[in-house]
Amino acid sequence: MKPLKRKFISSVLATSCLVTVLAGCGQEASSSSQNKQGNPVQIEFWYGNGGVIGEATKSLVEQFNQSQNEVKVNAVFQETTNNIGKKLLTAIVGNAVPDVVQLNARFWPTFAYNKALLPLDSYIQNDSKFDYGDFVDSFVKNTLIDGKTYTLPFNRSTSILYYNKDIVKEIGLDPEHPVSTWDELVAAAKKATVVKDGKTERFGFSTYLPPLYYYSLMWSNGGDLFSPDQKEVVLDQAPAVQGLEMYRNMIYETKTMMQPTGGTTTDSGQELVNFKNGKVAFLVASTADLSEIQKSIKFNLGVGFVPKFKEYAVTTSSGGNLAIVAKAPKEKQDAAWKFIKFLTDKQQTIYFTQHTGYMPIRKSAVTAPEMVKFYEQNPFFKTAVDELPYGKALPVVPDFDKIEAEIQKAIGKTYAQNVPAQESMKEAAAQIRAIMKK
């Protein structure tokens, strides 16, 4: 891969103007963010989660605005973090950029490599009140390029297993710990599936379409996307495809798995709807869905680790990170630093975790007395934290958005067209190799 001299994914950015449009450099925090007239500095924050998560985000913005009088944050909802990425491209070219953005935790490097994001290192180093070392280590790995910090973790999640305890009891399994391995899950899904008059009334299992819910299958079986030096594509090798082939068999042969069609934290697709309605027994979904599920169901809920092949494995690269836009004016960048420092502080981390189901991004939040008590009263929220030792971050590489798009195409072909996993992933691997050579 060529790590630095890359073009944006959109053709709207001409090479001749790339440096002029995107240039930005590190800034030192000023002593005050108020402008010369003494009025609060107005900054615009783009966020991408709706529902319960969006309400928690807006509440934090209000808390920040009320906590001081130097900075006023105007929060603008952009539907999804992926949508923020697309709109940011246009905003940069049109010289109408926001100041702070919540970007997809896997796709932000596209912007950082092209100097659209402000490196945060000078702020971190010069701010004695900012405890950078308190961030959970696996999340920090997903903020760095070549030792420079371009983003801070914010709403970070991973996959967990949700299950309907009433159905689990019905099929004769332990409602507190029904499955640990994928073999056990496959067997349980067969027992839980209900077919009447040739129509499936209840599926044993489902998960979402995006690749995030495939990576754990791959890693758990000893597979990976790239070789350790990230120079070779290996996702078409046997360990990486066997889990996807298991899913294909469950969809088309045993017919115990509902075909994935969607799944994001703002549009969770029919899989989540069917689970909440008791028409799916087991569901692998995001920990960020926990609050919504608990508010919507009428059955007894169970939560556990994502099943394993050889070992447990989940991705920690799910969710969003916060970034300051390099093209924003200096006084707005300084104000933006105060805002993202507030959002990622211990107390705000505790608030956001308790109100959404996202994982705490700070170590001090995990062990805080109020979180210990919260976990005792709400043990499901601790499942993702307990999974963290098995968490793995996706590689921070250029054009990962394009790479993941090819993976999603391959997964979609297997799910929707019954294409063998080896065949679909072989096609994806070829496309990814071409992307890496550019």
Side-chain angles (χ1 to χ4, degrees), residues 387-432:
E387 268 190 330
L388 271 178
Y390 306 102
K392 184 173 181 178
L394 288 160
V396 177
V397 296
D399 293 328
F400 192 79
D401 50 347
K402 294 181 180 179
I403 291 170
E404 188 165 275
E406 294 300 329
I407 297 171
Q408 177 144 339
K409 286 180 187 177
I411 293 171
K413 287 181 179 179
T414 295
Y415 288 163
Q417 302 174 30
N418 199 15
V419 176
Q422 180 67 56
E423 181 180 333
S424 64
M425 281 302 173
K426 184 177 180 180
E427 293 176 6
Q431 293 297 321
I432 293 169

mmCIF file of all heavy atoms in Angstrom, residues 387-432:
data_model
loop_
_atom_site.group_PDB
_atom_site.id
_atom_site.type_symbol
_atom_site.label_atom_id
_atom_site.label_comp_id
_atom_site.label_asym_id
_atom_site.label_seq_id
_atom_site.Cartn_x
_atom_site.Cartn_y
_atom_site.Cartn_z
ATOM 1 N N GLU A 387 -16.017 -8.737 27.129
ATOM 2 C CA GLU A 387 -15.513 -9.250 25.846
ATOM 3 C C GLU A 387 -14.245 -8.545 25.384
ATOM 4 O O GLU A 387 -13.542 -9.045 24.494
ATOM 5 C CB GLU A 387 -16.579 -9.075 24.756
ATOM 6 C CG GLU A 387 -17.495 -10.252 24.561
ATOM 7 C CD GLU A 387 -18.350 -10.106 23.311
ATOM 8 O OE1 GLU A 387 -18.671 -8.957 22.932
ATOM 9 O OE2 GLU A 387 -18.700 -11.130 22.716
ATOM 10 N N LEU A 388 -13.949 -7.389 25.954
ATOM 11 C CA LEU A 388 -12.824 -6.584 25.474
ATOM 12 C C LEU A 388 -11.491 -7.336 25.394
ATOM 13 O O LEU A 388 -10.714 -7.094 24.461
ATOM 14 C CB LEU A 388 -12.652 -5.336 26.347
ATOM 15 C CG LEU A 388 -13.437 -4.092 25.913
ATOM 16 C CD1 LEU A 388 -13.210 -2.957 26.885
ATOM 17 C CD2 LEU A 388 -13.024 -3.672 24.501
ATOM 18 N N PRO A 389 -11.176 -8.239 26.336
ATOM 19 C CA PRO A 389 -9.915 -8.982 26.185
ATOM 20 C C PRO A 389 -9.828 -9.784 24.894
ATOM 21 O O PRO A 389 -8.728 -10.155 24.470
ATOM 22 C CB PRO A 389 -9.913 -9.905 27.410
ATOM 23 C CG PRO A 389 -10.742 -9.194 28.423
ATOM 24 C CD PRO A 389 -11.824 -8.524 27.625
ATOM 25 N N TYR A 390 -10.963 -10.035 24.269
ATOM 26 C CA TYR A 390 -10.978 -10.776 23.017
ATOM 27 C C TYR A 390 -11.183 -9.841 21.821
ATOM 28 O O TYR A 390 -11.403 -10.296 20.706
ATOM 29 C CB TYR A 390 -12.100 -11.824 23.041
ATOM 30 C CG TYR A 390 -12.033 -12.734 24.236
ATOM 31 C CD1 TYR A 390 -12.890 -12.536 25.333
ATOM 32 C CD2 TYR A 390 -11.102 -13.768 24.307
ATOM 33 C CE1 TYR A 390 -12.828 -13.361 26.450
ATOM 34 C CE2 TYR A 390 -11.033 -14.601 25.421
ATOM 35 C CZ TYR A 390 -11.902 -14.380 26.483
ATOM 36 O OH TYR A 390 -11.825 -15.202 27.598
ATOM 37 N N GLY A 391 -11.100 -8.551 22.075
ATOM 38 C CA GLY A 391 -11.321 -7.564 21.022
ATOM 39 C C GLY A 391 -10.113 -7.388 20.132
ATOM 40 O O GLY A 391 -8.967 -7.542 20.562
ATOM 41 N N LYS A 392 -10.377 -7.067 18.888
ATOM 42 C CA LYS A 392 -9.306 -6.850 17.916
ATOM 43 C C LYS A 392 -9.671 -5.675 17.030
ATOM 44 O O LYS A 392 -10.808 -5.586 16.539
ATOM 45 C CB LYS A 392 -9.096 -8.113 17.071
ATOM 46 C CG LYS A 392 -7.932 -8.017 16.089
ATOM 47 C CD LYS A 392 -7.684 -9.351 15.413
ATOM 48 C CE LYS A 392 -6.502 -9.267 14.451
ATOM 49 N NZ LYS A 392 -6.213 -10.587 13.811
ATOM 50 N N ALA A 393 -8.723 -4.782 16.824
ATOM 51 C CA ALA A 393 -8.960 -3.610 15.981
ATOM 52 C C ALA A 393 -8.647 -3.936 14.530
ATOM 53 O O ALA A 393 -7.692 -4.669 14.235
ATOM 54 C CB ALA A 393 -8.107 -2.441 16.457
ATOM 55 N N LEU A 394 -9.442 -3.396 13.638
ATOM 56 C CA LEU A 394 -9.169 -3.530 12.216
ATOM 57 C C LEU A 394 -7.988 -2.654 11.842
ATOM 58 O O LEU A 394 -7.712 -1.655 12.503
ATOM 59 C CB LEU A 394 -10.407 -3.136 11.412
ATOM 60 C CG LEU A 394 -11.557 -4.137 11.490
ATOM 61 C CD1 LEU A 394 -12.864 -3.478 11.101
ATOM 62 C CD2 LEU A 394 -11.283 -5.333 10.600
ATOM 63 N N PRO A 395 -7.270 -2.991 10.778
ATOM 64 C CA PRO A 395 -6.087 -2.203 10.407
ATOM 65 C C PRO A 395 -6.456 -0.790 9.988
ATOM 66 O O PRO A 395 -7.488 -0.565 9.354
ATOM 67 C CB PRO A 395 -5.497 -2.994 9.228
ATOM 68 C CG PRO A 395 -6.639 -3.778 8.680
ATOM 69 C CD PRO A 395 -7.500 -4.121 9.851
ATOM 70 N N VAL A 396 -5.621 0.165 10.373
ATOM 71 C CA VAL A 396 -5.803 1.554 9.956
ATOM 72 C C VAL A 396 -5.003 1.733 8.669
ATOM 73 O O VAL A 396 -3.789 1.912 8.687
ATOM 74 C CB VAL A 396 -5.321 2.523 11.050
ATOM 75 C CG1 VAL A 396 -5.437 3.967 10.577
ATOM 76 C CG2 VAL A 396 -6.134 2.327 12.326
ATOM 77 N N VAL A 397 -5.693 1.645 7.552
ATOM 78 C CA VAL A 397 -5.036 1.704 6.250
ATOM 79 C C VAL A 397 -5.808 2.647 5.335
ATOM 80 O O VAL A 397 -7.001 2.892 5.534
ATOM 81 C CB VAL A 397 -4.957 0.302 5.595
ATOM 82 C CG1 VAL A 397 -4.100 -0.636 6.421
ATOM 83 C CG2 VAL A 397 -6.355 -0.290 5.396
ATOM 84 N N PRO A 398 -5.125 3.186 4.304
ATOM 85 C CA PRO A 398 -5.843 4.031 3.340
ATOM 86 C C PRO A 398 -6.933 3.243 2.627
ATOM 87 O O PRO A 398 -6.819 2.032 2.420
ATOM 88 C CB PRO A 398 -4.740 4.441 2.352
ATOM 89 C CG PRO A 398 -3.457 4.226 3.077
ATOM 90 C CD PRO A 398 -3.696 3.071 3.990
ATOM 91 N N ASP A 399 -7.983 3.931 2.260
ATOM 92 C CA ASP A 399 -9.061 3.361 1.443
ATOM 93 C C ASP A 399 -9.754 2.172 2.084
ATOM 94 O O ASP A 399 -10.277 1.300 1.383
ATOM 95 C CB ASP A 399 -8.526 2.947 0.068
ATOM 96 C CG ASP A 399 -8.102 4.137 -0.773
ATOM 97 O OD1 ASP A 399 -8.715 5.214 -0.620
ATOM 98 O OD2 ASP A 399 -7.161 4.011 -1.572
ATOM 99 N N PHE A 400 -9.801 2.133 3.425
ATOM 100 C CA PHE A 400 -10.477 0.999 4.039
ATOM 101 C C PHE A 400 -11.974 1.018 3.734
ATOM 102 O O PHE A 400 -12.619 -0.031 3.723
ATOM 103 C CB PHE A 400 -10.257 0.959 5.555
ATOM 104 C CG PHE A 400 -10.707 -0.345 6.160
ATOM 105 C CD1 PHE A 400 -9.913 -1.472 6.063
ATOM 106 C CD2 PHE A 400 -11.939 -0.465 6.785
ATOM 107 C CE1 PHE A 400 -10.328 -2.692 6.583
ATOM 108 C CE2 PHE A 400 -12.374 -1.668 7.309
ATOM 109 C CZ PHE A 400 -11.560 -2.786 7.211
ATOM 110 N N ASP A 401 -12.512 2.205 3.456
ATOM 111 C CA ASP A 401 -13.918 2.261 3.066
ATOM 112 C C ASP A 401 -14.154 1.492 1.767
ATOM 113 O O ASP A 401 -15.144 0.765 1.623
ATOM 114 C CB ASP A 401 -14.388 3.709 2.936
ATOM 115 C CG ASP A 401 -13.479 4.565 2.077
ATOM 116 O OD1 ASP A 401 -12.352 4.127 1.766
ATOM 117 O OD2 ASP A 401 -13.883 5.682 1.713
ATOM 118 N N LYS A 402 -13.236 1.621 0.820
ATOM 119 C CA LYS A 402 -13.347 0.876 -0.433
ATOM 120 C C LYS A 402 -13.142 -0.619 -0.207
ATOM 121 O O LYS A 402 -13.829 -1.454 -0.810
ATOM 122 C CB LYS A 402 -12.328 1.392 -1.446
ATOM 123 C CG LYS A 402 -12.555 2.810 -1.907
ATOM 124 C CD LYS A 402 -11.495 3.218 -2.920
ATOM 125 C CE LYS A 402 -11.703 4.649 -3.398
ATOM 126 N NZ LYS A 402 -10.660 5.068 -4.370
ATOM 127 N N ILE A 403 -12.185 -0.937 0.658
ATOM 128 C CA ILE A 403 -11.902 -2.339 0.962
ATOM 129 C C ILE A 403 -13.126 -2.999 1.588
ATOM 130 O O ILE A 403 -13.542 -4.081 1.189
ATOM 131 C CB ILE A 403 -10.672 -2.439 1.885
ATOM 132 C CG1 ILE A 403 -9.413 -2.047 1.129
ATOM 133 C CG2 ILE A 403 -10.538 -3.845 2.475
ATOM 134 C CD1 ILE A 403 -8.183 -1.871 2.005
ATOM 135 N N GLU A 404 -13.710 -2.323 2.573
ATOM 136 C CA GLU A 404 -14.871 -2.908 3.236
ATOM 137 C C GLU A 404 -16.069 -2.984 2.300
ATOM 138 O O GLU A 404 -16.907 -3.890 2.422
ATOM 139 C CB GLU A 404 -15.223 -2.128 4.501
ATOM 140 C CG GLU A 404 -16.303 -2.819 5.326
ATOM 141 C CD GLU A 404 -16.430 -2.282 6.732
ATOM 142 O OE1 GLU A 404 -15.676 -2.739 7.613
ATOM 143 O OE2 GLU A 404 -17.289 -1.403 6.938
ATOM 144 N N ALA A 405 -16.167 -2.062 1.363
ATOM 145 C CA ALA A 405 -17.270 -2.119 0.393
ATOM 146 C C ALA A 405 -17.194 -3.402 -0.429
ATOM 147 O O ALA A 405 -18.219 -4.014 -0.743
ATOM 148 C CB ALA A 405 -17.237 -0.901 -0.522
ATOM 149 N N GLU A 406 -15.974 -3.823 -0.773
ATOM 150 C CA GLU A 406 -15.806 -5.069 -1.527
ATOM 151 C C GLU A 406 -16.161 -6.283 -0.666
ATOM 152 O O GLU A 406 -16.750 -7.251 -1.146
ATOM 153 C CB GLU A 406 -14.377 -5.183 -2.048
ATOM 154 C CG GLU A 406 -13.990 -4.141 -3.080
ATOM 155 C CD GLU A 406 -14.873 -4.191 -4.323
ATOM 156 O OE1 GLU A 406 -15.346 -5.280 -4.683
ATOM 157 O OE2 GLU A 406 -15.093 -3.124 -4.937
ATOM 158 N N ILE A 407 -15.793 -6.213 0.604
ATOM 159 C CA ILE A 407 -16.147 -7.307 1.514
ATOM 160 C C ILE A 407 -17.661 -7.409 1.654
ATOM 161 O O ILE A 407 -18.232 -8.501 1.636
ATOM 162 C CB ILE A 407 -15.483 -7.093 2.887
ATOM 163 C CG1 ILE A 407 -13.959 -7.134 2.755
ATOM 164 C CG2 ILE A 407 -15.953 -8.159 3.886
ATOM 165 C CD1 ILE A 407 -13.211 -6.714 4.010
ATOM 166 N N GLN A 408 -18.318 -6.255 1.756
ATOM 167 C CA GLN A 408 -19.776 -6.273 1.891
ATOM 168 C C GLN A 408 -20.442 -6.823 0.631
ATOM 169 O O GLN A 408 -21.444 -7.542 0.712
ATOM 170 C CB GLN A 408 -20.316 -4.881 2.206
ATOM 171 C CG GLN A 408 -21.830 -4.834 2.293
ATOM 172 C CD GLN A 408 -22.342 -3.868 3.347
ATOM 173 O OE1 GLN A 408 -21.646 -3.506 4.277
ATOM 174 N NE2 GLN A 408 -23.587 -3.460 3.193
ATOM 175 N N LYS A 409 -19.905 -6.484 -0.542
ATOM 176 C CA LYS A 409 -20.445 -7.048 -1.782
ATOM 177 C C LYS A 409 -20.368 -8.574 -1.754
ATOM 178 O O LYS A 409 -21.316 -9.264 -2.149
ATOM 179 C CB LYS A 409 -19.666 -6.510 -2.987
ATOM 180 C CG LYS A 409 -19.948 -5.075 -3.352
ATOM 181 C CD LYS A 409 -19.109 -4.680 -4.566
ATOM 182 C CE LYS A 409 -19.228 -3.200 -4.872
ATOM 183 N NZ LYS A 409 -18.338 -2.812 -6.014
ATOM 184 N N ALA A 410 -19.217 -9.085 -1.318
ATOM 185 C CA ALA A 410 -19.022 -10.531 -1.285
ATOM 186 C C ALA A 410 -19.991 -11.194 -0.314
ATOM 187 O O ALA A 410 -20.624 -12.210 -0.634
ATOM 188 C CB ALA A 410 -17.577 -10.847 -0.900
ATOM 189 N N ILE A 411 -20.099 -10.612 0.877
ATOM 190 C CA ILE A 411 -21.022 -11.160 1.870
ATOM 191 C C ILE A 411 -22.451 -11.116 1.343
ATOM 192 O O ILE A 411 -23.217 -12.069 1.492
ATOM 193 C CB ILE A 411 -20.903 -10.366 3.188
ATOM 194 C CG1 ILE A 411 -19.531 -10.593 3.826
ATOM 195 C CG2 ILE A 411 -22.003 -10.763 4.164
ATOM 196 C CD1 ILE A 411 -19.253 -9.691 5.003
ATOM 197 N N GLY A 412 -22.816 -10.001 0.698
ATOM 198 C CA GLY A 412 -24.157 -9.860 0.150
ATOM 199 C C GLY A 412 -24.468 -10.910 -0.897
ATOM 200 O O GLY A 412 -25.595 -11.431 -0.955
ATOM 201 N N LYS A 413 -23.488 -11.240 -1.739
ATOM 202 C CA LYS A 413 -23.697 -12.279 -2.754
ATOM 203 C C LYS A 413 -23.953 -13.629 -2.104
ATOM 204 O O LYS A 413 -24.819 -14.393 -2.548
ATOM 205 C CB LYS A 413 -22.481 -12.367 -3.675
ATOM 206 C CG LYS A 413 -22.344 -11.212 -4.643
ATOM 207 C CD LYS A 413 -21.125 -11.390 -5.534
ATOM 208 C CE LYS A 413 -20.990 -10.243 -6.525
ATOM 209 N NZ LYS A 413 -19.786 -10.404 -7.383
ATOM 210 N N THR A 414 -23.224 -13.932 -1.050
ATOM 211 C CA THR A 414 -23.414 -15.212 -0.361
ATOM 212 C C THR A 414 -24.777 -15.247 0.322
ATOM 213 O O THR A 414 -25.495 -16.246 0.239
ATOM 214 C CB THR A 414 -22.294 -15.442 0.661
ATOM 215 O OG1 THR A 414 -21.041 -15.585 -0.041
ATOM 216 C CG2 THR A 414 -22.541 -16.696 1.478
ATOM 217 N N TYR A 415 -25.138 -14.155 0.974
ATOM 218 C CA TYR A 415 -26.409 -14.113 1.683
ATOM 219 C C TYR A 415 -27.610 -14.113 0.735
ATOM 220 O O TYR A 415 -28.587 -14.825 0.953
ATOM 221 C CB TYR A 415 -26.495 -12.856 2.559
ATOM 222 C CG TYR A 415 -25.609 -12.856 3.784
ATOM 223 C CD1 TYR A 415 -25.334 -11.667 4.441
ATOM 224 C CD2 TYR A 415 -25.058 -14.024 4.299
ATOM 225 C CE1 TYR A 415 -24.530 -11.634 5.583
ATOM 226 C CE2 TYR A 415 -24.260 -14.007 5.422
ATOM 227 C CZ TYR A 415 -23.999 -12.806 6.060
ATOM 228 O OH TYR A 415 -23.208 -12.798 7.171
ATOM 229 N N ALA A 416 -27.553 -13.289 -0.297
ATOM 230 C CA ALA A 416 -28.731 -13.053 -1.136
ATOM 231 C C ALA A 416 -28.807 -13.944 -2.366
ATOM 232 O O ALA A 416 -29.896 -14.202 -2.880
ATOM 233 C CB ALA A 416 -28.771 -11.583 -1.566
ATOM 234 N N GLN A 417 -27.637 -14.417 -2.850
ATOM 235 C CA GLN A 417 -27.622 -15.166 -4.098
ATOM 236 C C GLN A 417 -27.129 -16.601 -3.938
ATOM 237 O O GLN A 417 -26.951 -17.306 -4.936
ATOM 238 C CB GLN A 417 -26.751 -14.433 -5.122
ATOM 239 C CG GLN A 417 -27.203 -13.016 -5.405
ATOM 240 C CD GLN A 417 -26.235 -12.264 -6.309
ATOM 241 O OE1 GLN A 417 -25.550 -12.849 -7.151
ATOM 242 N NE2 GLN A 417 -26.160 -10.952 -6.146
ATOM 243 N N ASN A 418 -26.859 -17.012 -2.700
ATOM 244 C CA ASN A 418 -26.405 -18.382 -2.446
ATOM 245 C C ASN A 418 -25.074 -18.687 -3.125
ATOM 246 O O ASN A 418 -24.804 -19.827 -3.512
ATOM 247 C CB ASN A 418 -27.471 -19.395 -2.889
ATOM 248 C CG ASN A 418 -27.266 -20.764 -2.257
ATOM 249 O OD1 ASN A 418 -26.522 -20.918 -1.292
ATOM 250 N ND2 ASN A 418 -27.921 -21.765 -2.812
ATOM 251 N N VAL A 419 -24.227 -17.659 -3.288
ATOM 252 C CA VAL A 419 -22.901 -17.858 -3.869
ATOM 253 C C VAL A 419 -21.981 -18.440 -2.791
ATOM 254 O O VAL A 419 -21.902 -17.892 -1.688
ATOM 255 C CB VAL A 419 -22.323 -16.527 -4.385
ATOM 256 C CG1 VAL A 419 -20.892 -16.722 -4.891
ATOM 257 C CG2 VAL A 419 -23.214 -15.961 -5.478
ATOM 258 N N PRO A 420 -21.287 -19.550 -3.073
ATOM 259 C CA PRO A 420 -20.379 -20.121 -2.072
ATOM 260 C C PRO A 420 -19.403 -19.078 -1.543
ATOM 261 O O PRO A 420 -18.911 -18.224 -2.289
ATOM 262 C CB PRO A 420 -19.656 -21.229 -2.846
ATOM 263 C CG PRO A 420 -20.633 -21.636 -3.903
ATOM 264 C CD PRO A 420 -21.332 -20.361 -4.297
ATOM 265 N N ALA A 421 -19.122 -19.144 -0.258
ATOM 266 C CA ALA A 421 -18.278 -18.137 0.388
ATOM 267 C C ALA A 421 -16.899 -18.045 -0.246
ATOM 268 O O ALA A 421 -16.354 -16.949 -0.405
ATOM 269 C CB ALA A 421 -18.165 -18.445 1.878
ATOM 270 N N GLN A 422 -16.331 -19.178 -0.613
ATOM 271 C CA GLN A 422 -15.007 -19.172 -1.229
ATOM 272 C C GLN A 422 -15.013 -18.384 -2.532
ATOM 273 O O GLN A 422 -14.094 -17.601 -2.819
ATOM 274 C CB GLN A 422 -14.545 -20.604 -1.496
ATOM 275 C CG GLN A 422 -13.168 -20.701 -2.148
ATOM 276 C CD GLN A 422 -12.058 -20.224 -1.233
ATOM 277 O OE1 GLN A 422 -11.912 -20.729 -0.128
ATOM 278 N NE2 GLN A 422 -11.282 -19.247 -1.666
ATOM 279 N N GLU A 423 -16.067 -18.538 -3.307
ATOM 280 C CA GLU A 423 -16.173 -17.846 -4.588
ATOM 281 C C GLU A 423 -16.355 -16.345 -4.395
ATOM 282 O O GLU A 423 -15.703 -15.530 -5.057
ATOM 283 C CB GLU A 423 -17.338 -18.420 -5.387
ATOM 284 C CG GLU A 423 -17.534 -17.801 -6.756
ATOM 285 C CD GLU A 423 -18.708 -18.399 -7.507
ATOM 286 O OE1 GLU A 423 -19.050 -19.573 -7.237
ATOM 287 O OE2 GLU A 423 -19.300 -17.693 -8.350
ATOM 288 N N SER A 424 -17.248 -15.959 -3.510
ATOM 289 C CA SER A 424 -17.504 -14.529 -3.319
ATOM 290 C C SER A 424 -16.290 -13.829 -2.722
ATOM 291 O O SER A 424 -15.961 -12.708 -3.120
ATOM 292 C CB SER A 424 -18.737 -14.322 -2.432
ATOM 293 O OG SER A 424 -18.532 -14.817 -1.126
ATOM 294 N N MET A 425 -15.604 -14.481 -1.790
ATOM 295 C CA MET A 425 -14.435 -13.858 -1.173
ATOM 296 C C MET A 425 -13.230 -13.838 -2.114
ATOM 297 O O MET A 425 -12.382 -12.955 -2.017
ATOM 298 C CB MET A 425 -14.083 -14.572 0.124
ATOM 299 C CG MET A 425 -14.966 -14.162 1.299
ATOM 300 S SD MET A 425 -14.887 -12.372 1.601
ATOM 301 C CE MET A 425 -16.153 -12.211 2.850
ATOM 302 N N LYS A 426 -13.161 -14.785 -3.016
ATOM 303 C CA LYS A 426 -12.080 -14.765 -4.013
ATOM 304 C C LYS A 426 -12.218 -13.537 -4.903
ATOM 305 O O LYS A 426 -11.229 -12.869 -5.227
ATOM 306 C CB LYS A 426 -12.122 -16.039 -4.851
ATOM 307 C CG LYS A 426 -10.976 -16.150 -5.858
ATOM 308 C CD LYS A 426 -11.037 -17.471 -6.619
ATOM 309 C CE LYS A 426 -9.890 -17.574 -7.617
ATOM 310 N NZ LYS A 426 -9.937 -18.867 -8.370
ATOM 311 N N GLU A 427 -13.451 -13.223 -5.297
ATOM 312 C CA GLU A 427 -13.704 -12.025 -6.100
ATOM 313 C C GLU A 427 -13.351 -10.765 -5.315
ATOM 314 O O GLU A 427 -12.739 -9.835 -5.849
ATOM 315 C CB GLU A 427 -15.171 -11.988 -6.527
ATOM 316 C CG GLU A 427 -15.576 -13.090 -7.493
ATOM 317 C CD GLU A 427 -17.056 -13.051 -7.811
ATOM 318 O OE1 GLU A 427 -17.749 -12.105 -7.364
ATOM 319 O OE2 GLU A 427 -17.537 -13.966 -8.504
ATOM 320 N N ALA A 428 -13.751 -10.736 -4.044
ATOM 321 C CA ALA A 428 -13.453 -9.570 -3.211
ATOM 322 C C ALA A 428 -11.952 -9.384 -3.039
ATOM 323 O O ALA A 428 -11.441 -8.260 -3.111
ATOM 324 C CB ALA A 428 -14.123 -9.727 -1.850
ATOM 325 N N ALA A 429 -11.239 -10.485 -2.810
ATOM 326 C CA ALA A 429 -9.793 -10.409 -2.606
ATOM 327 C C ALA A 429 -9.102 -9.828 -3.832
ATOM 328 O O ALA A 429 -8.160 -9.026 -3.716
ATOM 329 C CB ALA A 429 -9.241 -11.790 -2.279
ATOM 330 N N ALA A 430 -9.545 -10.221 -5.022
ATOM 331 C CA ALA A 430 -8.956 -9.699 -6.247
ATOM 332 C C ALA A 430 -9.164 -8.188 -6.364
ATOM 333 O O ALA A 430 -8.239 -7.450 -6.735
ATOM 334 C CB ALA A 430 -9.550 -10.421 -7.454
ATOM 335 N N GLN A 431 -10.360 -7.726 -6.024
ATOM 336 C CA GLN A 431 -10.650 -6.300 -6.082
ATOM 337 C C GLN A 431 -9.841 -5.521 -5.046
ATOM 338 O O GLN A 431 -9.348 -4.420 -5.318
ATOM 339 C CB GLN A 431 -12.152 -6.067 -5.854
ATOM 340 C CG GLN A 431 -13.048 -6.594 -6.957
ATOM 341 C CD GLN A 431 -12.797 -5.917 -8.289
ATOM 342 O OE1 GLN A 431 -12.565 -4.702 -8.364
ATOM 343 N NE2 GLN A 431 -12.811 -6.695 -9.353
ATOM 344 N N ILE A 432 -9.694 -6.110 -3.860
ATOM 345 C CA ILE A 432 -8.942 -5.442 -2.792
ATOM 346 C C ILE A 432 -7.465 -5.350 -3.148
ATOM 347 O O ILE A 432 -6.809 -4.330 -2.886
ATOM 348 C CB ILE A 432 -9.156 -6.164 -1.467
ATOM 349 C CG1 ILE A 432 -10.615 -6.002 -1.013
ATOM 350 C CG2 ILE A 432 -8.220 -5.642 -0.377
ATOM 351 C CD1 ILE A 432 -11.016 -6.882 0.141
#
